[in-house]
Amino acid sequence: MAKRGPYEKGEAKRKEILQAALEIFAAEGYRGTSLRKVAARCNISLPGLMHYFDSKEDLLTQVLRMRDETARVRQEQRPTGPDVYREIIREGRATPGLVELFVSLAAAASDTEHPAHEYFAERYPRLREQVAAWLRGRTEAGQLRSGIPPERLATLLIALVDGIQLQWLIDRSVDMEQPIADVMALLAPGDAER
Amino acid sequence: MAKRGPYEKGEAKRKEILQAALEIFAAEGYRGTSLRKVAARCNISLPGLMHYFDSKEDLLTQVLRMRDETARVRQEQRPTGPDVYREIIREGRATPGLVELFVSLAAAASDTEHPAHEYFAERYPRLREQVAAWLRGRTEAGQLRSGIPPERLATLLIALVDGIQLQWLIDRSVDMEQPIADVMALLAPGDAER
DNA sequence: GTCTATACATGGATAGAC
DNA sequence: GTCTATCCATGTATAGAC
């Protein structure tokens, strides 16, 4: 076992590229950001960069995966962070370029052949599962009216978060938390006062 | 006045191009559809096409405008079509390529300099206004609990429609009408049975 | 495995003739 | 108003050095 873990340097470089790409896209947005620019930031040539990724869309997809992973780790440290959606929104507000990237890729990934399709096809059900579990917990704690099945509510809440981000991308004065707060208020048990 | 209206032929050609672009994008999606292909469909060269539009994004924006206009005209014929959102969803389901185009452009248009920015910056407030007006009508008719101001509910419903389309783009088995129906149910007056 | 240099294909855009 | 010709940027593919 004298041999060190394989791909040691490569793995580091790969991460460096992903990080650089994330920063550039976060700063300058999806449009007008070329791979050559990312490569230059990493002091590497274009083909050097392409050694680590199959295509541009592959790189982009992995950027999103990396971001998810970061969020997941942070989530674990503070176990059962209740308001998952708030976390998503807060992070989105800090990095509009990544929100743009997310939305653009999601749209493009409607094509089954797109490299990011699998990512989204896995991500949404997983997210729904998580949110639904959280909702079930609240229901059992009597903090939620339970007329609508949690899975359906989860679908609804996720759509709400994605959709409000779209409006926010156009007009940054839009309050992204309000609609979710409104729905949660509608779901509150003692809601007859309205 | 022997002179015919100016740009007579040009206006027709412009519309033809827009129509062709709409069809191609609706069929093949946003990705991998070049302007040259659109030009070819119109028996014209690329620069010939560019004579009518400042840029690709300009053309794309006008495609969306045209689609809005078509919807608006149809809406007027059947006055106060109540379930506006249903109409949007139905149309979306028939033309996934245009949904993709819409979402992609909306994301890209977050940049204030983007040709489509103005379109979306105008569209969302107008839509909110329309939906809010419809909601006010329902509230006065006693068909709606009125705890949340109509403008906020409008923002919420629009976000819901946009967001659920995103999930649907990835997984076509997602029911786009369910979440809206669920929210409307939550808003129904006699909702204590849950 | 890691990376450079080079070449290529495609797509949007522009100049200028007709 | 439309074309030919051309340009430039970008993603991609290949050859090969270390």
Side-chain angles (χ1 to χ4, degrees):
Chain A
M1 297 256 207
K3 211 181 178 186
R4 294 178 314 164
Y7 319 124
E8 194 136 315
K9 182 183 176 187
E11 207 24 49
K13 197 73 186 175
R14 208 188 72 98
K15 289 238 175 78
E16 182 193 339
I17 294 171
L18 283 177
Q19 187 60 36
L22 185 141
E23 284 166 15
I24 293 184
F25 281 113
E28 306 184 18
Y30 181 51
R31 259 200 346 163
T33 305
S34 68
L35 292 188
R36 281 176 172 87
K37 204 182 289 185
V38 178
R41 169 85 77 101
C42 300
N43 303 311
I44 211 180
S45 71
L46 214 215
L49 185 151
M50 293 306 288
H51 172 68
Y52 296 94
F53 305 93
D54 294 338
S55 66
K56 179 186 189 181
E57 324 228 88
D58 177 40
L59 166 60
L60 261 23
T61 308
Q62 296 202 35
V63 166
L64 288 188
R65 281 192 201 275
M66 187 202 211
R67 175 184 170 237
D68 273 8
E69 181 63 12
T70 310
R72 199 185 57 73
V73 170
R74 208 181 325 164
Q75 194 73 18
E76 269 181 1
Q77 294 174 337
R78 187 180 358 153
T80 37
D83 304 38
V84 196
Y85 56 84
R86 283 216 162 149
E87 207 55 44
I88 299 180
I89 284 181
R90 297 249 162 85
E91 207 188 310
R93 192 161 37 208
T95 55
L98 288 185
V99 175
E100 191 195 333
L101 172 62
F102 176 87
V103 175
S104 299
L105 263 194
S110 61
D111 183 346
T112 324
E113 302 303 309
H114 192 286
H117 182 84
E118 199 191 339
Y119 164 76
F120 286 102
E122 286 169 356
R123 180 192 146 100
Y124 274 124
R126 178 168 43 85
L127 242 183
R128 277 193 282 261
E129 195 77 21
Q130 283 175 13
V131 177
W134 173 69
L135 287 169
R136 268 189 287 270
R138 287 195 61 140
T139 305
E140 282 161 16
Q143 296 173 315
L144 215 63
R145 297 192 293 165
S146 56
I148 302 171
E151 292 76 17
R152 252 159 66 188
L153 275 184
T155 305
L156 191 160
L157 284 172
I158 294 168
L160 208 49
V161 172
D162 285 350
I164 197 63
Q165 283 183 328
L166 221 55
Q167 290 184 54
W168 172 80
L169 275 177
I170 303 297
D171 175 5
R172 300 293 159 93
S173 75
V174 167
D175 184 341
M176 289 196 282
E177 301 195 27
Q178 186 69 67
I180 292 127
D182 284 341
V183 167
M184 293 313 286
L186 286 175
L187 286 169
D191 193 39
E193 10 86 39
R194 309 205 173 275
Chain B
M1 301 264 202
K3 210 179 178 187
R4 294 177 315 163
Y7 317 124
E8 194 136 314
K9 182 183 176 188
E11 204 30 43
K13 198 72 185 175
R14 207 187 73 98
K15 289 238 174 78
E16 182 193 340
I17 295 170
L18 283 177
Q19 187 60 35
L22 184 140
E23 284 167 15
I24 293 183
F25 281 112
E28 306 184 19
Y30 181 49
R31 262 199 347 165
T33 303
S34 67
L35 291 189
R36 281 179 172 87
K37 203 183 287 183
V38 177
R41 169 85 77 99
C42 300
N43 303 312
I44 211 179
S45 71
L46 213 217
L49 185 151
M50 294 303 287
H51 172 69
Y52 295 95
F53 305 93
D54 293 339
S55 67
K56 181 187 189 181
E57 324 227 88
D58 177 40
L59 166 59
L60 260 24
T61 308
Q62 295 202 35
V63 166
L64 288 189
R65 281 191 202 276
M66 187 202 211
R67 175 183 169 238
D68 273 8
E69 181 63 13
T70 310
R72 199 185 57 74
V73 169
R74 208 182 324 163
Q75 194 73 18
E76 269 180 2
Q77 293 173 338
R78 186 179 1 152
T80 37
D83 303 38
V84 196
Y85 56 85
R86 283 215 163 149
E87 206 57 42
I88 299 181
I89 284 181
R90 296 246 162 87
E91 207 188 309
R93 192 160 38 208
T95 54
L98 288 185
V99 175
E100 192 196 333
L101 172 61
F102 175 87
V103 175
S104 299
L105 262 195
S110 60
D111 183 347
T112 324
E113 302 304 309
H114 192 286
H117 183 82
E118 199 191 339
Y119 164 75
F120 285 102
E122 286 169 356
R123 181 193 145 101
Y124 274 124
R126 178 166 44 84
L127 242 183
R128 276 194 281 261
E129 195 77 22
Q130 283 174 13
V131 177
W134 173 69
L135 287 170
R136 268 188 287 269
R138 287 196 61 141
T139 305
E140 283 161 16
Q143 296 174 315
L144 215 63
R145 296 193 292 164
S146 54
I148 302 171
E151 292 77 16
R152 254 158 65 185
L153 275 184
T155 305
L156 191 160
L157 284 171
I158 293 168
L160 208 50
V161 172
D162 285 350
I164 197 63
Q165 283 182 327
L166 221 54
Q167 290 184 55
W168 172 81
L169 276 177
I170 303 297
D171 175 5
R172 300 294 158 93
S173 74
V174 167
D175 184 341
M176 289 197 282
E177 300 195 26
Q178 186 70 67
I180 293 127
D182 284 340
V183 167
M184 293 312 286
L186 286 174
L187 287 169
D191 192 38
E193 9 86 40
R194 310 204 173 274

